[in-house]
Amino acid sequence: MLDREQVETQEIPDVPERPLAIRTRELTKAFGGEIAVNKINMDVPTGAVFGFIGPSGSGKTTTVRLLMGLYEPDDGEISVLGARPSNFKRHDRERIGYLPQLFVLYPDLTVWENMNFTASLYGVSFWRTKLLNRLLDLVELREDKHKLVRNISGGMQRRLSLAATLVHDPDLLFLDEPTAGIDPILRKKFWDYFKELQVNGHTLFVTTQYVGEAAYCDFVGVMSEGQLLTVNTPEGLRREAYGGDIVKLGSTERIDYTLRQEVQNLPELKSRILNATDYELQLLVDDGATATPYLVEYFRDRRKSINSVESFFPSYDDVFVKLIEKHRNNENG
Amino acid sequence: MDRFSRFIVRSTTFLRKELATIFRQPRLILTLILGPFLIMLLFGFAFRAEGRSLRTLFVISDNSPFAQQVQEFAQTIGPAIVYEGIIPDRDQALSRLARNEVDMVIIVPDNPMDLIRNNEQATLEMYHNEIDPIQVDYVRQVGRLYVDSLNRKVLQSVTAENQEEAGTLQDKLEAAQSSATAYREALAARNAAAAASEKQNLNTDLVALRILAGASLGIAQGTNETFGGGTTTDPDQNANTLTDLDTLIQGLNSTPDPTTEAEMQQQEQDAAEIESSIAELNTSLSDFQNMDPNVITSPFTVKTESVTGIELELTDFFTPAVIVLLLQHLFVTFAAMSIVAERRAGTMELFKTSPISSSEILVGKTLSFFVFGLVIAAMITMLVVYVLGTPMLGRWENYIIAVVVLLLTSLAVGFFISLISENDTQAVQFSMLLLLASIFFSGFFLDLRLMWEPMKAFSYILPATYGIDIMHDVMLRGLPLPTTVIGGLALIGLIMFLADWFILRRLMQTR
């Protein structure tokens, strides 16, 4: 668990100073003595895509529900768009969109009727046909708009839910696992649209179990067992997980033990071999950008022929596992 | 958009949603409209307002002289008793009753006339095999009817016999009349010896008349005394005819033969009065003879008419109550399932996170079910009035107001049930309990006036109680809206809506 200071001093490169859409301090919620969310500190700047990643039961949905004002926190502070969620006024709610984890629209209504229903809930004017058609185009449901929802697939229902969430053009979107159960192509399309929303000034708070989706986010919060382990940029997460950049080096000649030791002990690189075969090395270095040309030079000087030196990006699944392990190791001392 | 426009947009979202859901189920609509109509139609065909005919078996001993009379009487008493025969064995009769082969067994005592002569009432034992208190009551009534008819029959018979006997008194009356005239004329002629002789004759005739006419005159006198001017003769004179006759005989016996002129004159006047009394007696007996024995034994009959000026069939009476009960139950159930279903489906969460308020949800849902309720009510009403022929004596606008208030109050009660129910099952159970309570306590089939006074308070927390009262007044009596009753119904609705709003508001708040 990161403490307050650690989070507040998190280095977020290339992000200009913007007002916070979400701010939590020591946010805690327990159910029947079991802590679901434990002292979460989090700042989400306006206009960012914030990924909230963690396994099932890690406290993601509870956090979203606290941020939506569906739960009252047991302890800590929350501010969403400058207001306390449990005191949200109608105006605050009109600025927020919420996509719940489960489908909650009406199976006995058509796709179109469900869209209309949600639009009316948010007080969208009756002259909204164009808007609804555009949203249905986005989720590729326009052709199916006269179908009863009970007759469309689970993926289509998910897409409908997303379209319904966007119907009132909210400033801040809470999307609880929006891509769950959706095929990879449409998932990519969703994330493209999320990015488009971001470009248009919307703030997105997206929970997901797909760790790979962290790459689409500006910031990622990693949840485990009710605790927010870290908040970082996707790239920062990799570095945080492994302690530096990974460089992959391939050679046509055999890389013997002596050479491996030499490379590992280079004082300029402070590298560490993560993985090694006879013809390939994976090195953990402080900075991949400076290490790569240095390594090329080093091997040339020793007349060793190398055919590739490149930065290696481990999957976010690996990054996530590494972070959890690291956290557990820290806890166990 | 301004605030009001947004309120309209939010509230009407439920109207479109609920109506779309309902009208997508044509079978449901058909059931809701045609179902009650068909039930009322079948009820009208099936239910017969006439009393049930009881198959009756009589138990009389073999040697009883009444067997034939019982049979004749049972066959003529009317449709309530169907004569099933006479058997001597009591156990066999009761056994047939237990097997439901007959509905009633009447056991006639062996010696009823002996009992009556001994100044005792002869008791007919009646047995039945009913468990339904209403049917038990019906059997008792038929039993009472039978015994009353039997007693009347006996009285008619006795009266007829006496009337016949009165005819035979004519000679004695004429003899007494002649003796009285001869007596008066002897006294007028101051012929003491002849007067004494005629007095003796008169006394003999009067005593004989008194003995023979006792029974007939007794009935005639009783009739006159009871009913006053019910006969053609002067009641003041008729009432005391028999007593006067006794007084005359007594007076005649106690009067010494006249010795002076004054006594002669006095006794001549007395003789004239005796003449007059015998003439009156003659008139009384003639009147009695001419009277119908049935009028004497059953002098009164009854004719019942309603000031409403309309005769209602049983179906007509029940139809307004059925409409009320049906509308209440349907729309309590629709509303009861409504919010609880939103909670089950998770849409309440959607509402909580959206800008819609609890009042907008209530208004929206009320509006949607209300519109549907009006459609259902209109269809059912048209069918029962124009197809079943149920009378609609009042003004249509009053009927519409009653339906509107009933629907809104029922919806308010339904939402309350929905808000306090944990799940669908509980909501259905509460709705069914309300229906059950309404059947028993709203005056649907048991008149509220028969209810214990403190329990009436319970009746008046049920919308159906008010609804039935109003519909009976408007539809069947043609009266204007009873303002107190419609006000009471509206008040219940208002209180329930406020409670609904309060609970829903709490439900929408953060946990």
Side-chain angles (χ1 to χ4, degrees), chain B residues 189-483:
Chain B
R190 302 294 186 262
N191 184 344
S197 170
E198 291 303 331
K199 180 182 171 185
Q200 188 60 44
N201 291 340
L202 176 59
N203 191 39
T204 306
D205 290 341
L206 284 176
V207 169
L209 185 64
R210 174 67 180 86
I211 292 166
L212 287 170
S216 302
L217 283 172
I219 293 172
Q221 183 185 338
T223 307
N224 283 330
E225 280 178 355
T226 308
F227 306 121
T231 61
T232 53
T233 52
D234 181 354
D236 292 337
Q237 288 176 9
N238 285 337
N240 295 317
T241 306
L242 203 60
T243 319
D244 287 352
L245 196 59
D246 289 338
T247 312
L248 289 177
I249 294 166
Q250 206 181 349
L252 209 57
N253 287 332
S254 61
T255 309
D257 290 340
T259 50
T260 64
E261 176 58 23
E263 284 174 350
M264 277 287 185
Q265 281 181 357
Q266 178 61 45
Q267 289 194 11
E268 188 186 345
Q269 282 178 12
D270 291 344
E273 280 178 26
I274 289 169
E275 245 188 309
S276 166
S277 293
I278 292 169
E280 284 167 16
L281 184 60
N282 197 12
T283 310
S284 290
L285 276 175
S286 294
D287 287 346
F288 172 62
Q289 256 185 298
N290 293 331
M291 280 181 78
D292 182 351
N294 188 40
V295 173
I296 296 172
T297 53
S298 302
F300 289 107
T301 183
V302 66
K303 184 183 168 193
T304 315
E305 278 191 40
S306 169
V307 289
T308 59
I310 187 164
E311 282 293 319
L312 295 173
E313 297 290 325
L314 202 66
T315 321
D316 296 336
F317 174 73
F318 275 111
T319 300
V322 169
I323 294 174
V324 169
L325 209 62
L326 189 86
L327 289 180
Q328 180 198 280
H329 179 62
L330 278 181
F331 289 92
V332 161
T333 309
F334 270 123
M337 296 303 291
S338 165
I339 296 177
V340 89
E342 303 282 8
R343 283 158 74 180
R344 175 172 43 79
T347 30
M348 275 305 285
E349 194 155 290
L350 199 67
F351 302 159
K352 284 182 192 177
T353 58
S354 74
I356 196 162
S357 66
S358 44
S359 52
E360 285 167 341
I361 294 174
L362 269 183
V363 169
K365 284 194 169 281
T366 303
L367 195 65
S368 49
F369 291 121
F370 176 67
V371 169
F372 180 53
L374 285 182
V375 173
I376 295 287
M379 303 289 268
I380 293 175
T381 306
M382 292 300 114
L383 282 172
V384 298
V385 172
Y386 294 111
V387 180
L388 271 187
T390 304
M392 173 61 202
L393 304 178
R395 297 168 71 94
W396 277 108
E397 58 265 36
N398 289 339
Y399 179 84
I400 293 167
I401 292 169
V403 167
V404 165
V405 179
L406 176 71
L407 280 176
L408 290 174
T409 305
S410 301
L411 287 173
V413 173
F415 289 136
F416 184 77
I417 289 174
S418 199
L419 286 163
I420 60 167
S421 299
E422 293 285 329
N423 49 46
D424 297 18
T425 317
Q426 269 187 21
V428 171
Q429 281 171 347
F430 281 133
S431 305
M432 290 307 292
L433 276 178
L434 183 71
L435 174 66
L436 205 61
S438 300
I439 289 172
F440 285 108
F441 289 94
S442 67
F444 175 65
F445 74 92
L446 291 175
D447 195 316
L448 283 184
R449 287 167 295 189
L450 300 176
M451 209 170 278
W452 185 42
E453 206 64 33
M455 283 310 290
K456 283 188 186 171
F458 179 69
S459 293
Y460 282 97
I461 60 172
L462 301 168
T465 308
Y466 297 87
I468 291 171
D469 201 359
I470 296 165
M471 289 300 194
H472 277 161
D473 274 3
V474 172
M475 285 187 86
L476 304 183
R477 293 179 187 277
L479 295 175
L481 271 181
T483 39

Side-chain angles (χ1 to χ4, degrees), chain A residues 24-38:
Chain A
T24 70
R25 292 293 177 268
E26 303 292 307
L27 180 63
T28 303
K29 179 72 182 174
F31 296 103
E34 195 170 320
I35 293 178
V37 168
N38 193 5

Side-chain angles (χ1 to χ4, degrees), chain B residues 53-85:
Chain B
S53 294
L54 298 174
R55 296 165 299 166
T56 307
L57 185 62
F58 293 85
V59 177
I60 302 178
S61 58
D62 283 334
N63 53 357
S64 172
F66 295 102
Q68 193 184 347
Q69 284 145 295
V70 164
Q71 180 178 351
E72 282 170 8
F73 180 57
Q75 285 171 335
T76 55
I77 194 167
I81 287 183
V82 175
Y83 175 73
E84 285 287 316

